Amino acid sequence: MHLQRLILSDFKNIREADLLFSSKMNCFLGNNGAGKTNLLDAIYYLSMTKSYFGHSDTQSIRFGASLFSLSGHYVFEDALQEHIVCTTEAGGLKCVRRNGKNYSRFSEHLGLLPLVVVSPSDTLLIHAPAEERRRFMNVLLSQMNSVYMAYLQQYNQVLAQRNHCLRQEDYRADIIEALDAQLAAKAELIYGRRADLCALLGPQVSRYYGLLSGHQEETGLAYKSDLAHNSLLALFDESRQKDRLLRYTTCGIHRDDVVFRLNEHPIRRFGSQGQQKTFLVALKLAQFEIMKQHRGIAPLLLLDDVFDKLDVERVAHLLELVVQTHFGQIFITDSNTSRIEGVVHEITNERAFFDVAKGVVNRLAST
């Protein structure tokens, strides 16, 4: 699968662009703030129907415009083609169309166009609270299993109802028990999917970390969940008085976390900046490998300002690794034109370079 053509209108700082891509390596070059990352976010949006950076849909509309529009033409190995269009109006009306037909639910689109992003903001996976690591698992699993996303959405809806009931003065034990049963049914599937995912991720992260670092350290990850010790219904029985006192649900899969380790120690505390950056890239490559094995399709790989994460030697090693046959189409941003051109020219002839300046995008002549 590859993105053949991308058409943008009034998306963030980009007034308009119509771009044809290489099926292998595509490089967006320009100064910081020019709009390079916005192009990657547009590609992400077409796969996930939302911004990678958590912006609301209306925040992605270019200042002064009434709506934004994204159009992507995708080609698969079996000659199948997909045309995806996403639009959002300033009033909030949002539409996602596949081959001219509107989706009734945006979640139906997830997984059609698998994608992995490596971004400087990934450092949140190490340093931010557990919510960020749960988000990583949710995004990955939602591209692999539509049932997972449906269960997660239902779990969160029922959890909100339970917390609302806990805050009421006229506490209704019968309602809480009914909600508990609903939460337990959803939680078991979510917990199982997350546990299976982490079991797959661990060996792949270790493998890619070794390839990037020269096998200098050992890595690992551990999934932490309340459900590892008991069923959710049993946990609710144990925490009922505590929940009533605190007025919120104190146990469940909404508290799950993943611990990243380096040489058996938490990388958050004991890993250097370079080790943490290498771990995060290895984590994303592990995500890529798992998604490819699951779908049989190489996801799009978006590398945003990867030189901020790794030195030139490791970036060259990374790019040599990802241009191998089993990787697919790659999009990379950099502010240093000569640096990225020098690296890319050495490893592949299938490439395209784009200059980005103040939201204007132009394809550069091949060199």
Side-chain angles (χ1 to χ4, degrees):
M1 178 195 74
H2 71 273
L3 174 58
Q4 183 181 66
R5 184 181 184 187
L6 174 65
I7 304 173
L8 304 88
S9 175
D10 293 322
F11 184 75
K12 298 191 173 181
N13 75 326
I14 302 171
R15 181 186 295 273
E16 59 181 1
D18 187 344
L19 309 173
L20 295 176
F21 296 122
S22 163
S23 61
K24 199 66 175 179
M25 179 76 72
N26 299 275
C27 306
F28 298 124
L29 311 172
N31 295 328
N32 293 332
K36 305 185 302 296
T37 298
N38 293 341
L39 291 168
L40 296 189
D41 202 26
I43 297 171
Y44 182 88
Y45 202 107
L46 285 167
S47 285
M48 303 300 296
T49 73
K50 62 182 179 180
S51 169
Y52 180 73
F53 301 99
H55 301 149
S56 68
D57 295 317
T58 55
Q59 285 179 311
S60 295
I61 300 174
R62 188 178 62 83
F63 182 75
S66 59
L67 60 84
F68 76 73
S69 175
L70 304 173
S71 173
H73 296 259
Y74 297 81
V75 179
F76 291 73
E77 288 185 356
D78 56 4
L80 173 70
Q81 297 189 28
E82 296 282 357
H83 180 210
I84 307 300
V85 175
C86 299
T87 60
T88 293
E89 299 180 8
L93 182 62
K94 177 177 177 179
C95 179
V96 180
R97 296 193 298 276
R98 177 186 179 187
N99 300 326
K101 296 182 179 180
N102 290 2
Y103 281 105
S104 58
R105 295 189 302 273
F106 299 145
S107 59
E108 296 173 356
H109 179 65
L110 301 182
L112 176 69
L113 307 169
L115 171 147
V116 174
V117 182
V118 179
S119 165
S121 64
D122 293 339
T123 55
L124 292 173
L125 286 170
I126 289 178
H127 299 290
E131 180 181 2
E132 197 66 29
R133 291 175 288 282
R134 289 195 299 272
R135 178 175 177 267
F136 168 75
M137 289 192 289
N138 293 339
V139 169
L140 200 170
L141 287 167
S142 68
Q143 294 189 76
M144 296 170 60
N145 190 313
S146 59
V147 173
Y148 175 87
M149 178 52 66
Y151 270 51
L152 182 64
Q153 291 172 340
Q154 293 164 15
Y155 179 93
N156 288 333
Q157 290 169 0
V158 178
L159 177 65
Q161 296 176 35
R162 189 179 195 272
N163 287 335
H164 175 76
C165 291
L166 288 169
R167 291 192 295 268
Q168 304 307 304
E169 294 299 330
D170 56 336
Y171 177 84
R172 292 282 303 275
D174 57 334
I175 295 179
I176 293 293
E177 289 179 3
L179 294 174
D180 288 354
Q182 295 181 50
L183 285 171
K186 309 302 179 187
E188 288 297 331
L189 182 139
I190 296 167
Y191 168 74
R193 293 289 190 274
R194 288 177 176 177
D196 291 344
L197 172 64
C198 290
L200 292 172
L201 276 174
Q204 293 290 353
V205 170
S206 179
R207 181 170 75 91
Y208 278 114
Y209 187 96
L211 290 173
L212 291 169
S213 67
H215 303 278
Q216 296 177 15
E217 301 97 9
E218 293 185 0
T219 65
L221 57 83
Y223 175 40
K224 296 177 60 178
S225 177
D226 294 331
L227 271 69
H229 310 293
N230 215 332
S231 70
L232 189 55
L233 285 178
L235 292 169
F236 280 153
D237 286 341
E238 296 173 1
S239 66
R240 200 165 304 281
Q241 293 302 318
K242 181 179 179 181
D243 289 357
R244 287 189 63 183
L245 179 64
L246 297 177
R247 299 192 172 192
Y248 68 87
T249 305
T250 60
C251 58
I253 54 95
H254 56 285
R255 289 164 31 92
D256 287 357
D257 199 358
V258 182
V259 178
F260 301 139
R261 294 198 175 108
L262 183 71
N263 295 329
E264 300 185 355
H265 299 291
I267 196 169
R268 179 177 183 175
R269 294 178 55 194
F270 295 96
S272 68
Q273 187 177 60
Q275 289 169 330
Q276 291 179 0
K277 290 179 177 180
T278 303
F279 184 95
L280 289 169
V281 173
L283 178 67
K284 293 305 186 75
L285 294 181
Q287 174 188 354
F288 180 100
E289 191 70 32
I290 290 170
M291 291 174 64
K292 182 177 182 296
Q293 291 176 4
H294 177 79
R295 280 288 308 276
I297 297 173
L300 303 181
L301 182 62
L302 278 53
L303 303 174
D304 186 23
D305 199 15
V306 72
F307 284 95
D308 177 69
K309 304 177 76 65
L310 303 168
D311 57 42
V312 175
E313 182 178 346
R314 290 197 178 189
V315 170
H317 197 177
L318 168 63
L319 294 184
E320 288 174 0
L321 182 64
V322 300
V323 296
Q324 294 174 9
T325 304
H326 74 282
F327 279 84
Q329 191 178 27
I330 301 162
F331 297 86
I332 185 169
T333 69
D334 193 24
S335 58
N336 187 320
T337 301
S338 60
R339 176 174 60 188
I340 191 63
E341 286 184 342
V343 172
V344 171
H345 283 318
E346 289 292 324
I347 59 177
T348 181
N349 292 320
E350 299 179 66
R351 64 212 180 206
F353 295 95
F354 299 85
D355 176 70
V356 187
K358 298 181 179 180
V360 178
V361 190
N362 292 296
R363 181 164 179 162
L364 300 174
S366 298
T367 58

